[in-house]
Amino acid sequence: MKVAIIGGGPAGLYAAILLKKQRPSADIAVYERNRADDTFGFGVVFSDATLDNFEKHDLPSYRRITQEFAYWDDIAVHFRGTVHRVGGNGFCGCSRQTLLLILQERARELGVVLHFEVDIEDESRFADADLVLIADGINSRFREKYVDHFQPEVDLRSNKFAWMGSTRPLDAFTFIFQETDWGPFIAHAYQYEAGHSTWIFETDPETFERAGLTGLNETQSAARMADIFGWFLDGHKLLTNRSMWRNFPMIRSKRWVKDNMVLLGDAKASAHFSIGSGTKLAMEDAIALAEAMERAPSIQAALEVCEHGRREEVEKTQHAADVSLVWFEHVDRFWEFDPVQFAFGVMTRSKAITYDNLKLRAPDFVAEVEKSFARQVRSNGFDVNTDRPMVPLFQPFRLREMEVANRAVVSPMCMYSAKEGVPSDFHLVHYGSRAIGGAGLIFTEMTCVSRDARITPGCAGLWNDEQETAWRRIVDFVHANSATKICLQLGHAGRKGATKLMWDGIDRPLDEGGWEVFSASPLPYFPDSQVPRELDRAGMNAVRDSFVAAAERGECCGFDMLELHCAHGYLLASFISPLTNTRSDDYGGSLANRLRFPLEVFEALRAVWPKHKPMSVRISATDWADGGITGDDAVAIARAFAEAGVDLVDVSTGQTVRDAQPVYGRMFQTSFSDQVRNEARVATMCVGNITTADQANTILAAGRADLVALGRPHLVDPFFTMKAAAWYGADGAFCPPQYLPGKDQIFRNSVRERQDIEELRIKAKPRTRAELKAAATKPLAAE
Ligand SMILES: Cc1cc2nc3c(=O)[nH]c(=O)nc-3n(C[C@H](O)[C@H](O)[C@H](O)COP(=O)(O)OP(=O)(O)OC[C@H]3O[C@@H](n4cnc5c(N)ncnc54)[C@H](O)[C@@H]3O)c2cc1C
Ligand SMILES: Cc1cc2nc3c(=O)[nH]c(=O)nc-3n(C[C@H](O)[C@H](O)[C@H](O)COP(=O)(O)O)c2cc1C
């Protein structure tokens, strides 16, 4: 078999090694345009888990690599004169040049032929090769040559960065967030061998301009960075090596394989440097290819297996990189944060590390985070313990005069079980049990303001006395038997009305018994849905008045809070999104126009809703569709509602149009809550695939939301909050007297269970290489 490899970076060399080991008789050659000992960049970084993978696949190169590595466990965050160190991270760094020399040496030993200073212009010279690996890096010539086939998507990010080096020794992966007169600069730095460290500097394009970096050459810009970070460099120099400022390209290719050619490493997909995974991805691509070649019956089959089998893993890493890079691009959002909360945000930015996880490995750091959070709560007038504080989820919160005992919320969820809009015994038990279960706040399902405002025939409403009586019974029960507050969510289905019950076909039009539906514009939801009538001014008045009448009834029922539903493509949302609003009057066109009617309804409600009671608005912060609402629009929408008197923005997303492309995942809407809260400076509630109290604490402690709503988890577990309280020992949690013996038992058992689980986790955790190395080098007397 003949294999030609274009590019002698980590991907190309490691693939050559693994394939040659597998097929010693194969003719494998690597073509590299640089000299053998040329290198651009300084160090590379691997996690312990990545090294474990290398150990499994090629022991000799693993041994040589790990002999050369600098190890560290801590991440240090420098911000506004403070430094927070978090241990247990298990990383190591090595010089990129050393890595390449080790891989070259190992490849040669195995019989791979290495050609240096050969720039491949055209792959036709490999016409007789069975397999051609395109490992020519981020600016891949061959990916571009076959751009129509590989279909790469190149997203050039806004921040500027430059890769430099220094002789400054470092004993931790170090982030420095530096304020300057021009704006914020960030350094990502780590040591990769004795006396050498990598320094990646990053800043936003405006700060870059203001700092005058545009016109500077490499040496001058290094001098400017040395000025800014001089206090930390401690007399050490900054070194350059093609250290030009660039914008990071996030690359994703739709196809990786063409005939007998396959893209590997940066050529096919890149991952932002802030998660340090570029070289890891490149070498793991080589592993995936070698594994596929071992098992598949033909080269073609192997390439397909490699592409399909590896894509998910690569996309997961890229998603984590995306989330991380966005955090750094928007670091100014958090600049006013308490430094320990800021550091917690750095640690948990890509969602891989959570509250409980950090508490195990850095208990002192998390204790500080808890205290800082409690101090903020105390400064808002709550008499909470700041020496031994409760976790954030069990810290109280206030909106106007409404206080909630904890920050767990039951999200609004239609039960599709009302008759003629009247909530039944099912609703009493449903809401009653969730209140007894301990959530600080529960939302009603979308409660419709008129008969024709319903989504389905099973939707609850509040337009007549019978409904008012039924809701009052529920509210009274909640108030009499729990400490939970209850919020009424009012909505109008718009074009999604007259549809089937969820379990009969969500959003599908009723076969019979439907009613006429309205929307901002006459656009049906499904092609075969009813075409809605465009709401005229008289219709708007009627809708607004029915919202006001329902709110007045809500007050008579005793609800503690009122939410206006402006999300998910229903009537008010249909005005806000340009995808559903094509009007040419004062209610269409610009965002200000599209917001006019929803704001008018909100203001009318605010005028009748008691001043001491809070109001929220639920929005779709993105439509997940081209041309639709984006996170930036959501900030403008939140600001407009905040000016009109909203106390909380309930940040949901999507459900506007059928062809949306949501990116699901754990806590997938949290970044929008974060953006709205920290750019519009308004309190937010986040929701969406948040399933554990650990995740809720992570979100709250990082300042990404003020309240956390859980929908589906509460459908199967009304006692979610009580169980979480027991887990964290929040024994002030309310419990009705009838259930106290149960509470006593779960609190007793949970403390023990938690200790057992934590001990098991600590025991099961392998020692990091840094710990092993430290133990091995410790003098005997110190053992
Ligand atoms: C300037 C720079 C500095 C970097 N510094 C660091 C760092 O300090 N730490 C870190 O972790 N990551 C660093 N990276 C990123 C990291 O190197 C990549 O994520 C990783 O190397 C990807 O490996 P690869 O083999 O896919 O590509 P590369 O390492 O880019 O290797 C591709 C190779 O192909 C060669 N090549 C390209 N075209 C041809 C051709 N037509 N013919 C022959 N040869 C060709 C190139 O010369 C190169 O050696 C740096 C990247 C750049 C561009
Ligand atoms: C069965 C069901 C009914 C829902 N009904 C409503 C509703 O009436 N009003 C609303 O704003 N959101 C509604 N939602 C959305 C939820 O409030 C929540 O935003 C969504 O389920 C995501 O949160 P989760 O991942 O915790 O379930 C509903 C969701 C489900 C699953």
Side-chain angles (χ1 to χ4, degrees):
M1 190 174 77
K2 187 164 178 175
V3 183
I5 302 176
I6 308 174
L13 287 170
Y14 206 49
I17 292 168
L18 299 183
L19 291 178
K20 188 72 183 168
K21 276 178 63 169
Q22 203 177 79
R23 294 160 202 244
S25 62
D27 167 3
I28 300 181
V30 177
Y31 298 84
E32 166 57 50
R33 66 181 171 197
N34 292 328
R35 289 185 303 244
D37 56 355
D38 272 349
T39 193
F40 306 110
F42 297 89
V44 296
V45 50
F46 297 122
S47 68
D48 272 0
T50 305
L51 288 175
D52 290 345
N53 208 7
F54 296 164
E55 185 175 14
K56 266 196 290 184
H57 287 89
D58 185 51
L59 199 56
S61 59
Y62 163 82
R63 286 211 174 112
R64 284 173 231 173
I65 290 169
T66 46
Q67 271 162 16
E68 300 291 339
F69 263 77
Y71 297 91
W72 66 86
D73 257 351
D74 287 4
I75 292 182
V77 179
H78 294 255
F79 177 59
R80 292 215 318 256
T82 62
V83 51
H84 289 96
R85 289 181 78 102
V86 179
N89 296 288
F91 273 99
C92 31
C94 145
S95 131
R96 178 175 153 95
Q97 185 172 30
T98 308
L99 175 71
L100 291 180
L101 291 176
I102 289 171
L103 296 180
Q104 287 169 14
E105 182 187 45
R106 174 73 178 135
R108 268 197 213 94
E109 265 167 34
L110 290 164
V112 174
V113 182
L114 303 179
H115 303 273
F116 291 97
E117 298 180 72
V118 182
D119 190 337
I120 304 298
E121 299 246 336
D122 184 352
E123 80 286 8
S124 60
R125 65 188 278 177
F126 305 126
D128 62 339
D130 302 286
L131 176 62
V132 179
L133 307 187
I134 303 175
D136 56 349
I138 208 154
N139 299 317
S140 171
R141 175 180 293 166
F142 295 95
R143 183 188 66 223
E144 289 314 304
K145 181 170 175 183
Y146 296 108
V147 67
D148 290 343
H149 178 84
F150 291 122
Q151 296 183 41
E153 185 192 298
V154 182
D155 174 12
L156 208 58
R157 301 306 307 186
S158 59
N159 269 10
K160 295 275 184 190
F161 79 98
W163 226 297
M164 299 189 192
S166 174
T167 49
R168 166 75 155 95
L170 296 168
D171 61 355
F173 194 110
T174 303
F175 291 109
I176 308 172
F177 297 87
Q178 184 64 45
E179 179 77 73
T180 70
D181 291 343
W182 304 298
F185 278 85
I186 306 164
H188 312 234
Y190 58 90
Q191 181 161 326
Y192 58 85
E193 64 187 20
H196 283 105
S197 44
T198 293
W199 286 71
I200 307 164
F201 296 109
E202 177 178 7
T203 191
D204 61 81
E206 295 79 26
T207 304
F208 183 81
E209 276 300 315
R210 283 192 294 267
L213 284 157
T214 316
L216 303 189
N217 64 26
E218 221 176 317
T219 318
Q220 291 166 326
S221 79
R224 174 91 13 121
M225 289 303 106
D227 281 346
I228 295 174
F229 291 93
W231 64 272
F232 188 86
L233 285 166
D234 207 16
H236 288 269
K237 278 211 184 89
L238 279 179
L239 313 168
T240 57
N241 181 352
R242 289 209 192 169
S243 305
M244 284 80 70
W245 288 88
R246 289 170 294 160
N247 295 77
F248 190 84
M250 276 303 288
I251 293 173
R252 295 177 156 81
S253 303
K254 197 151 188 195
R255 294 204 186 98
W256 300 355
V257 177
K258 179 178 186 320
D259 307 324
N260 66 341
M261 297 191 289
V262 58
L263 298 174
L264 286 190
D266 275 3
K268 71 166 208 314
S270 59
H272 191 248
F273 52 80
S274 61
I275 64 163
S277 294
T279 310
K280 160 203 148 81
L281 274 185
M283 291 175 67
E284 287 181 348
D285 280 355
I287 292 174
L289 175 71
E291 282 181 340
M293 289 286 285
E294 180 128 51
R295 279 190 239 119
S298 67
I299 291 180
Q300 215 48 51
L303 296 186
E304 265 165 43
V305 169
C306 173
E307 171 163 359
H308 293 121
R310 175 119 178 95
R311 192 173 275 280
E312 192 183 331
E313 187 59 33
V314 170
E315 286 177 356
K316 259 188 1 210
T317 307
Q318 287 195 295
H319 180 64
D322 277 349
V323 176
S324 173
L325 75 86
V326 167
W327 192 94
F328 284 101
E329 283 176 356
H330 296 287
V331 69
D332 54 331
R333 279 184 201 158
F334 316 107
W335 215 261
E336 302 305 318
F337 275 25
D338 188 87
V340 71
Q341 185 172 36
F342 182 94
F344 185 85
V346 177
M347 293 302 304
T348 56
R349 67 190 184 280
S350 69
K351 302 192 287 190
I353 297 177
T354 62
Y355 196 86
D356 285 1
N357 180 276
L358 267 182
K359 203 164 178 160
L360 268 187
R361 48 168 132 148
D364 294 345
F365 171 67
V366 176
E368 249 198 275
V369 174
E370 287 172 351
K371 284 182 185 167
S372 156
F373 198 92
R375 280 196 300 273
Q376 287 174 36
V377 173
R378 201 176 172 86
S379 70
N380 287 328
F382 288 100
D383 183 21
V384 295
N385 188 335
T386 50
D387 294 328
R388 295 173 56 80
M390 283 300 148
V391 294
L393 187 60
F394 290 97
Q395 292 288 348
F397 185 63
R398 182 185 301 110
L399 291 166
R400 299 208 180 203
E401 289 180 21
M402 184 187 84
E403 288 182 4
V404 290
N406 62 64
R407 292 161 188 248
V409 178
V410 177
S411 202
M413 275 178 295
C414 271
M415 292 292 105
Y416 309 101
S417 302
K419 293 221 163 48
E420 283 299 319
V422 183
S424 62
D425 284 355
F426 173 85
H427 294 85
L428 177 70
V429 173
H430 169 68
Y431 291 111
S433 53
R434 274 138 198 91
I436 289 177
L441 176 64
I442 60 180
F443 278 66
T444 68
E445 59 205 273
M446 175 169 130
T447 303
C448 306
V449 294
S450 59
R451 196 170 188 280
D452 65 2
R454 290 175 305 163
I455 311 169
T456 73
C459 286
L462 189 45
W463 67 84
N464 65 31
D465 292 348
E466 197 187 349
Q467 294 155 353
E468 188 181 317
T469 305
W471 277 119
R472 188 180 306 120
R473 182 171 167 239
I474 292 169
V475 175
D476 286 349
F477 180 91
V478 168
H479 287 159
N481 295 286
S482 75
T484 300
K485 300 296 191 297
I486 179 164
C487 174
L488 168 66
Q489 185 189 60
L490 288 180
H492 188 304
R495 71 174 185 160
K496 287 171 133 182
T499 54
K500 295 181 179 175
L501 304 183
M502 177 180 73
W503 43 87
D504 289 337
I506 196 157
D507 297 327
R508 298 295 308 155
L510 284 170
D511 295 330
E512 52 191 38
W515 52 89
E516 189 182 20
V517 300
F518 305 91
S519 192
S521 298
L523 304 167
Y525 186 60
F526 285 112
D528 62 343
S529 297
Q530 197 186 133
V531 178
R533 192 144 64 83
E534 181 173 296
L535 201 63
D536 59 16
R537 191 55 248 188
M540 287 185 214
N541 292 347
V543 167
R544 182 199 57 212
D545 294 347
S546 55
F547 268 99
V548 169
E552 285 171 334
R553 286 183 182 277
E555 164 58 5
C556 293
C557 296
F559 281 104
D560 302 294
M561 178 176 167
L562 183 63
E563 174 162 286
L564 181 62
H565 197 337
C566 291
H568 302 167
Y570 296 118
L571 182 67
L572 297 177
S574 76
F575 275 83
I576 299 175
S577 171
L579 300 177
T580 45
N581 180 342
T582 55
R583 300 173 75 108
S584 53
D585 61 4
D586 288 350
Y587 303 92
S590 66
L591 178 60
N593 278 2
R594 287 182 272 123
L595 273 170
R596 197 182 301 277
F597 181 55
L599 282 172
E600 181 184 323
V601 175
F602 179 84
E603 281 159 2
L605 292 186
R606 191 61 270 183
V608 297
W609 188 245
K611 279 208 161 36
H612 66 284
K613 291 189 180 182
M615 277 188 69
S616 60
V617 60
R618 181 166 255 209
I619 62 168
S620 284
T622 174
D623 288 329
W624 300 112
D626 286 346
I629 294 292
T630 63
D632 289 344
D633 295 326
V635 173
I637 294 167
R639 283 200 179 112
F641 276 104
E643 272 169 31
V646 93
D647 304 293
L648 178 89
V649 180
D650 172 0
V651 185
S652 186
T653 67
Q655 300 178 47
T656 311
V657 287
R658 291 299 309 159
D659 53 356
Q661 300 280 317
V663 182
Y664 292 117
R666 276 175 303 159
M667 311 181 257
F668 75 109
Q669 295 172 162
T670 304
S671 59
F672 296 98
S673 163
D674 183 347
Q675 181 173 9
V676 169
R677 179 180 192 267
N678 296 310
E679 287 189 17
R681 308 276 169 194
V682 53
T684 61
M685 176 166 90
C686 75
V687 65
N689 222 1
I690 300 162
T691 51
T692 65
D694 176 28
Q695 291 171 355
N697 276 318
T698 311
I699 292 165
L700 293 166
R704 309 183 86 187
D706 298 277
L707 295 175
V708 178
L710 294 88
R712 289 164 296 169
H714 271 123
L715 288 181
V716 290
D717 188 359
F719 283 86
F720 174 89
T721 309
M722 178 63 79
K723 288 178 183 165
W727 179 256
Y728 288 107
D731 50 10
F734 177 86
C735 177
Q738 298 91 327
Y739 293 173
L740 276 174
K743 181 186 174 191
D744 292 345
Q745 185 186 47
I746 191 176
F747 268 70
R748 241 188 349 265
N749 290 347
S750 281
V751 172
R752 250 200 328 263
E753 268 171 35
R754 185 164 178 206
Q755 275 165 359
D756 289 350
I757 289 176
E758 287 184 356
E759 272 167 31
L760 271 177
R761 280 190 193 149
I762 289 168
K763 273 193 204 141
K765 184 180 172 291
R767 294 174 85 184
T768 63
R769 285 176 172 78
E771 285 165 341
L772 290 171
K773 192 166 177 176
T777 52
K778 215 185 265 181
L780 275 181
E783 285 288 328

